[in-house]
Amino acid sequence: MTANLDTLLDRATAHERAGSWTEAFHTFESAYQASLDAGDAPALLESVVRLGHCHRLSGQRELAQEVLELALTLGEMHGNAAIAGRALNGLGVLAQDAGELVRAAELYQQANLLGRESGTLVLVGDTEQNLGILANIRGDLDEALQRYQTALSYLEQANAVRGRLSSLNNLGMLHVDMGRLDQADEYFTRALRICEEVGDIVHAGVVHINRAELFLARGERVRAREACDEGFEIFSRLNDEQRQAEALKFYGVIYRESGKLHLATIHLQRAIGITRDTSPLLEAEVQREMARVLRQQGRNRQALEALNRSHALFTSLQARPDLADIDSRVSELEEEFLSLVRFWGESIEAKDRYTLGHCARVADYACRIAERAGMTDRELTWFRMGAFLHDVGKTEVPEEILNKPGRLTDEERATMERHTVIGDEMLAPVEFPWDIRPMVRSHHERWDGRGYPDQLAAEAIPRSARILRLADVFDALTTARSYRAPLTPEQALGIMRDDQGSFDPELFQIFLALYDEFAPTAAEAASSVSA
């Protein structure tokens, strides 16, 4: 390889490190043409494989696939195991990005063998690192750690700057996940030192943003903000919006934890604007953070909308094998859903001093009936949320009506009965994964058609609302109201038997079978309120 070709390739790599992709492409192509003209096969192979990786790093997947397949063919034709292995490694990364993890592992293993056969330390290190990433995806952190450390050893021996940077960054992120924060900081610091030495601002920006997560885990919000500033400034200059959005997400977390909720909202809204329809995983994470901010602001319905969007995005990603922890994220998100609706339900009760604990008890009674009636675990999760929110419309009912000690006038009763419709309207913007709104609207409908608001009868009433009504009526009878003392569980059961034409007959039999389990809870609730 001539000195001129060496210079071209070095110049192209410098452009690549600076994120100047257009200049990098042109320079690699110039090196390719010059090596072709000179009949310099080693330089030709080198320029092709580097060009392929440059397209991959810049996000041009189709071009990268085409050029790396060419590099593989040329490497095999010329018996150059190192070039063939580097091409295979790049094709493995493309397969991994497409979620084809089995194929990616096969390509990495093939490339690793070629690296060992040819004594190419860089290739061995790169492939060990990529196999470590696959182990991390599978949740095998011990294997990931061993692979990353092996990769770093090979790459340091080869003085491979870019590979070392990736290894140090991966080791930093892995140690954050493992809770080993001081070790994570050491790896990130080493990576930044190398970035500064070689002028690799792209890797520097990535490391700065990853350090923000480390500092947040430590509770060091000022340092987290400074790390975000560094990363955001770099990716603003490079016009890399997706990585800007990653920084904006962390700004949102920092401001939320600092109590600056308005600033948190602004930064998260910007991140959502960038990621919507382009990066579902990042948008899902940002929407989750937005829900936490909105909850702290008391904007419960908007918080549910953000949680719902996050849940929908995470659920859509569950089929992606390259995102193996999505199931756990969905489960955690559903816990946040439940926590929020429980909080909102309790805020409803705060208006009516006679209904303290009503939503929780109704949810418990109703879920036990629903489970006995054959509802699945996943359905029960959302059913419980509907039970907590069944009286959400009461937030719009005047307190003097809710707490009136005597009989309501016809006008006041009409206002009270509107809470089912109001609640339905309040939840309309929230597209829950499971249909909660019928529970809210129809839990006062009767099997005999004499309920409200729509005078539905029998099976025209949503089954979830029929279940909920049994629990709601039983708790209402066994707890104090502004106009009467609580009834005993036995008295409540007697009244419900006398009025059993208002209940789904099949579900009423399930309620009767569970009555002995419900009675102690009802008796305790009655005595605590009376006390």
Side-chain angles (χ1 to χ4, degrees), residues 1-2 5 9 31-32 34-49 74-75 77-78 80 83:
M1 193 182 298
T2 66
L5 284 170
L9 289 171
Y32 170 80
S35 62
L36 194 62
D37 293 341
D40 188 336
L44 178 68
L45 295 176
E46 187 68 26
S47 59
V48 170
V49 78
L74 292 172
M77 285 175 56
H78 288 269
N80 191 321
I83 292 293

Side-chain angles (χ1 to χ4, degrees), residues 4-146:
N4 182 50
L5 284 170
D6 256 343
T7 300
L8 277 174
L9 289 171
D10 289 345
R11 188 183 304 153
T13 299
H15 287 313
E16 194 177 53
R17 288 175 181 165
S20 303
W21 302 114
T22 302
E23 291 85 350
F25 298 145
H26 288 329
T27 312
F28 277 129
E29 287 164 358
S30 296
Y32 170 80
Q33 190 60 50
S35 62
L36 194 62
D37 293 341
D40 188 336
L44 178 68
L45 295 176
E46 187 68 26
S47 59
V48 170
V49 78
R50 287 206 204 178
L51 178 60
H53 280 284
C54 187
H55 282 306
R56 176 181 64 77
L57 290 166
S58 68
Q60 300 189 59
R61 291 178 47 81
E62 291 183 7
L63 274 173
Q65 184 82 24
E66 182 180 327
V67 176
L68 287 170
E69 286 176 352
L70 173 62
L72 175 60
T73 301
L74 292 172
E76 290 173 340
M77 285 175 56
H78 288 269
N80 191 321
I83 292 293
R86 287 162 64 190
L88 283 168
N89 187 47
L91 291 168
V93 174
L94 293 174
Q96 178 184 317
D97 289 345
E100 301 170 6
L101 300 196
V102 174
R103 178 62 177 157
E106 291 171 352
L107 292 168
Y108 293 151
Q109 292 286 8
Q110 292 174 38
N112 188 277
L113 286 174
L114 291 174
R116 292 178 187 277
E117 289 172 7
S118 62
T120 310
L121 299 180
V122 174
L123 180 56
V124 177
D126 284 344
T127 50
E128 284 290 334
Q129 179 158 229
N130 289 333
L131 288 165
I133 292 170
L134 293 183
N136 203 349
I137 290 170
R138 293 195 306 271
D140 190 341
L141 301 190
D142 291 334
E143 182 186 339
L145 179 59
Q146 181 267 319

